[in-house]
Amino acid sequence: MSQDMHFDLVILGILVAFIVYSLLTRAVDRSLLTLPIIFMCLGYALSEPLRSAAPPEVLNQGKRLLAEITLVLVLFSDASHVQFSQLKQSWRIPARMLLIGLPLSILLGMLVTWLISPEGGIAMALLTAAVLTPTDAALGQNVVTSANVPEKLSETINVESGLNDGLVLPFVLLGAILASAGMAGANTGGLALEAALQIVLGPLAGIATGWVVARLMDVAQARRWIVASAEGVVFLAASFAAYVLAGVIGGNGFIAAFVAGMIFGNSYKHNIRFVREFMEGAGLLLTMSSFLVFGALLLPDGLAHASLKTVLIAVMFLTVVRVGAIWLSLTGSGLKTSEKLFLGWFGPRGLASILFTLVIIDEFEFPDEAELLACVSMTVALSILVHGLSSTPLARWIGKRPAR
């Protein structure tokens, strides 16, 4: 069998899996299985056939392109659904988790990583903590959608996961630049200035793109110039316009996409349902592909370099670091102990950590890159399993807790 035919058969198998999963989505929702569990395991099973069917450079280029496309769309989409007007009555808990809990998670994670693996240095500890801080509500989707979970908790989880991937981006960028500079032995002063410019100019590109596109769409809607099928095209183009504009002016494109989504979602005066509809269709395909790529290309390499240290770091991030930071951030919030533990536990690591890792490993060179990959792989794989399998039972548990 020729290599081309082998590759075609692997791709055909993947497409069949996409079709079968889509046909059984309702049945899967009623089970303990989740999309990340299914496609991570499928990707791992297809790892060897996929690697033998395609040249390494093709796989590397493909996974980088997939990561960039998915990350831009996820950042824009998540931010666009956080409506500031709707948070006026319930902003305190998400704000505590984002403004206090997120920096604490990075600080505690950096400390834990450095204590367990001091040879990597502070910069690699910062990068590891930043990559492993953002949460992914999709890994515990049953918690978000369950009628058993109090609305204030499910809304908090949604808001936090929608915003923390964008808010953590500057820390990821800073950690990557400092770690890379340390390896090269270069002067970090110029790199720090470059990072600062990217962090400042990225939001400016996002603000401009989000506001202008929102105004143009409002005009088109008011004058009935636009058909419903074209609204998703505007969302898609606006996401990448912010990303490209940031690159042109020297800003960070991912930060720009996140800020553009936030500005667009809060400036657009009409119904924004088309963003959700697009992400439920094409976005679902990208999500399946991302977890499959994680299982096929990242997880095997991560397992190959896994050690007691990387497993310990992964467990600490999913327990002590996350739960401790959220618990501290919610002190004095009025929440019950069970609710604090529930919010602390449901900080699953998934899509953002995968995508950040794919992008920065391709763009930068670090010392102990294999250990970073192992830490991310172990943390995400454990999170996919434990958070996915515990979401339904714990949703029922929190629903049975007595109200205040």
Side-chain angles (χ1 to χ4, degrees):
M1 184 184 298
S2 68
Q3 189 177 43
D4 287 344
M5 183 174 292
H6 188 189
F7 182 74
D8 289 343
L9 288 175
V10 173
I11 297 301
L12 179 60
I14 292 171
L15 294 174
V16 169
F18 288 167
I19 293 171
V20 172
Y21 174 83
S22 300
L23 293 173
L24 299 175
T25 45
R26 197 178 297 276
V28 172
D29 287 343
R30 293 194 295 264
S31 72
L32 289 178
L33 295 177
T34 62
L35 181 154
I37 291 175
I38 292 171
F39 284 95
M40 177 186 71
C41 293
L42 175 64
Y44 188 74
L46 291 175
S47 177
E48 285 303 319
L50 193 58
R51 289 171 186 263
S52 61
E57 59 272 16
V58 172
L59 293 178
N60 288 334
Q61 291 173 1
K63 71 182 182 183
R64 170 64 189 266
L65 181 61
L66 173 67
E68 288 189 336
I69 291 173
T70 307
L71 188 54
V72 168
L73 293 178
V74 166
L75 289 169
F76 189 101
S77 173
D78 285 353
S80 70
H81 285 103
V82 178
Q83 300 293 305
F84 297 144
S85 60
Q86 297 176 4
L87 291 177
K88 289 180 180 178
Q89 303 301 320
S90 57
W91 61 271
R92 289 179 177 81
I93 296 175
R96 281 172 171 266
M97 293 174 69
L98 289 166
L99 300 180
I100 301 174
L102 186 147
L104 272 177
S105 293
I106 295 175
L107 184 61
L108 288 174
M110 183 171 65
L111 179 61
V112 164
T113 304
W114 182 74
L115 288 174
I116 295 175
S117 183
E119 61 274 11
I122 291 294
M124 281 302 295
L126 169 62
L127 176 59
T128 303
V131 168
L132 291 176
T133 290
T135 60
D136 184 357
L139 270 67
Q141 191 61 31
N142 291 341
V143 169
V144 177
T145 59
S146 174
N148 295 317
V149 179
E151 185 178 354
K152 67 177 179 180
L153 298 184
S154 58
E155 182 181 356
T156 296
I157 292 171
N158 249 338
V159 171
E160 186 207 9
S161 66
L163 289 177
N164 63 11
D165 46 4
L167 294 177
V168 84
L169 261 170
F171 297 98
V172 173
L173 179 64
L174 181 62
I177 289 176
L178 292 178
S180 180
M183 181 179 182
N187 185 347
T188 59
L191 290 172
L193 177 61
E194 178 187 345
L197 287 175
Q198 288 201 35
I199 293 169
V200 171
L201 296 176
L204 292 180
I207 291 169
T209 304
W211 189 85
V212 169
V213 174
R215 294 279 70 80
L216 291 174
M217 275 204 72
D218 280 329
V219 171
Q221 288 281 11
R223 300 188 181 184
R224 304 181 69 84
W225 288 346
I226 187 170
V227 296
S229 59
E231 293 173 339
V233 176
V234 175
F235 154 63
L236 189 67
S239 305
F240 289 104
Y243 178 83
V244 173
L245 177 60
V248 169
I249 65 175
N252 183 270
F254 298 117
I255 296 176
F258 175 75
V259 174
M262 190 179 302
I263 297 299
F264 179 85
N266 287 276
S267 301
Y268 184 54
K269 297 177 181 177
H270 294 77
N271 196 311
I272 202 171
R273 68 183 183 280
F274 59 89
V275 174
R276 189 179 303 278
E277 290 171 353
F278 181 92
M279 291 302 289
E280 287 176 350
L284 179 63
L285 184 62
L286 290 172
T287 301
M288 290 189 289
S289 302
S290 297
F291 281 108
L292 188 141
V293 166
F294 169 71
L297 303 181
L298 264 70
L299 185 56
D301 290 341
L303 290 173
H305 295 98
S307 63
L308 181 60
K309 287 193 302 183
T310 57
V311 173
L312 181 58
I313 289 172
V315 172
M316 291 292 285
F317 266 93
L318 295 177
T319 55
V320 174
V321 172
R322 164 69 185 185
V323 177
I326 295 303
W327 181 281
L328 290 173
S329 72
L330 296 176
T331 300
S333 65
L335 290 178
K336 295 180 291 185
T337 298
S338 58
E339 292 172 329
K340 293 178 186 177
L341 290 173
F342 187 81
L343 290 174
W345 173 247
F346 278 106
R349 309 316 200 278
L351 200 57
S353 296
I354 294 170
L355 299 175
F356 286 156
T357 303
L358 285 171
V359 171
I360 62 174
I361 283 181
D362 188 69
E363 190 168 335
F364 297 93
E365 291 186 8
F366 327 105
D368 301 319
E369 184 177 291
E371 183 170 288
L372 172 67
L373 181 60
C375 286
V376 173
S377 298
M378 292 297 96
T379 306
V380 173
L382 287 174
S383 183
I384 287 173
L385 294 173
V386 299
H387 288 112
L389 295 175
S390 66
S391 58
T392 298
L394 289 182
R396 295 188 187 127
W397 172 76
I398 198 68
K400 294 178 181 177
R401 305 300 294 176
R404 281 191 178 276

